[in-house]
Structure formats: structure tokens, C-alpha cells
Amino acid sequence: MMILGEIAKQPTFMCNPNRINGERRTVLFAHCTLPINMPRYYDLSTHYESKQGVAIAGKLPLGHCTVSKIDGDLSNFFAANGEIVDMPEDRELCRTQVTVKMEDWNYFLRSPIGNHHILCMGKYADDIEEFMDLIK
């Protein structure tokens, strides 16, 4: 999260892949919180799993984004550019939901590096790859 935030110089959203549509090449990511300076606007809702407390239901702008995940020991990483194409509002998922169209959607079925992934606006996959090459 810190690496992508520093590369992109903007806030990042930690989210989990929830639904994959291979035909459309989309992955729906969701989580119940995000930095409030990241969405265009947000509502406060209940936390999805507990139905208690407060969770942020943010609406990110449609457009280019980067999805990444780096192993804790920095030995393995995933970075892909994508495009936010929808901001669904499914009450059966964590409150902030983002549908991302991406070429490498199959990674999430083959060999994801854990569950939490990091998303930010803009195209930074090449920058992450360059950073990871530098630290090897």
C-alpha cells in the first residue's frame, strides 16, 4: 500500500476480489473502508459483515486504475493497469465496490498473492515493475 501510494503520489484503496467475469474481463473489488480523500463522494453505511458500526461507501471516478499486490518479503508481486467501468451498490458485499476491466483477470484464479490488493487511480503497473526490478 505504501509503495504504490509513494509511486503514484496519491491515496490507495485496499480491496478484495469478489467476483470475476471472464467474458467481460472484469473483477469486482470491494472493502468497507477507503481514504475519504480518494472517492468523488461517499456515504456512511453499516459494516457489511457485522451490520454494525460505520463503513464508507465511496464512489471512485470511472477511468484508468492500477491494481497491485506485493509479497511481504518483496519476493513476488502483481501489477496491472485496468479501467474502472462501474461502481456497483450490492448490499451483499463490502460497501465500497469497484468493477475493474483488466487483461490479466485470470491471475486472480491462477495464483493470487493473498486476498488484499491495492488499487489507485491512473496507470502505474510499469512503474511498480521498474521499482521491483531495482530492489532485487
Side-chain angles (χ1 to χ4, degrees):
M1 195 172 204
M2 291 174 59
I3 291 170
L4 181 55
E6 189 59 33
I7 288 171
K9 302 291 187 213
Q10 62 178 297
T12 59
F13 171 42
M14 181 175 66
C15 50
N16 298 315
N18 282 268
R19 296 182 185 145
I20 298 170
N21 184 322
E23 188 175 298
R24 292 185 176 163
R25 299 185 338 255
T26 60
V27 180
L28 189 151
F29 295 94
H31 217 295
C32 278
T33 188
L34 82 163
I36 60 174
N37 64 341
M38 190 173 184
R40 291 177 300 152
Y41 60 91
Y42 63 90
D43 291 320
L44 299 179
S45 183
T46 57
H47 180 255
Y48 164 62
E49 289 87 354
S50 68
K51 307 293 189 255
Q52 298 177 358
V54 175
I56 299 171
K59 294 294 181 189
L60 298 175
L62 302 181
H64 297 294
C65 69
T66 301
V67 176
S68 72
K69 174 75 174 188
I70 301 173
D71 251 351
D73 65 1
L74 305 177
S75 64
N76 194 12
F77 76 98
F78 168 79
N81 294 323
E83 182 180 356
I84 297 174
V85 294
D86 192 22
M87 295 293 303
E89 293 182 23
D90 186 334
R91 297 300 297 167
E92 297 303 316
L93 290 174
C94 291
R95 303 311 184 203
T96 297
Q97 302 162 23
V98 180
T99 301
V100 178
K101 185 172 186 173
M102 53 194 320
E103 293 300 320
D104 201 4
W105 58 269
N106 208 17
Y107 150 84
F108 296 98
L109 299 175
R110 286 183 281 114
S111 56
I113 307 168
N115 196 28
H116 288 112
H117 284 68
I118 310 303
L119 183 145
C120 77
M121 301 307 297
K123 294 181 173 183
Y124 296 98
D126 290 345
D127 298 297
I128 294 167
E129 189 167 336
E130 183 179 331
F131 174 80
M132 295 304 291
D133 286 345
L134 286 173
I135 64 170
K136 285 184 181 179

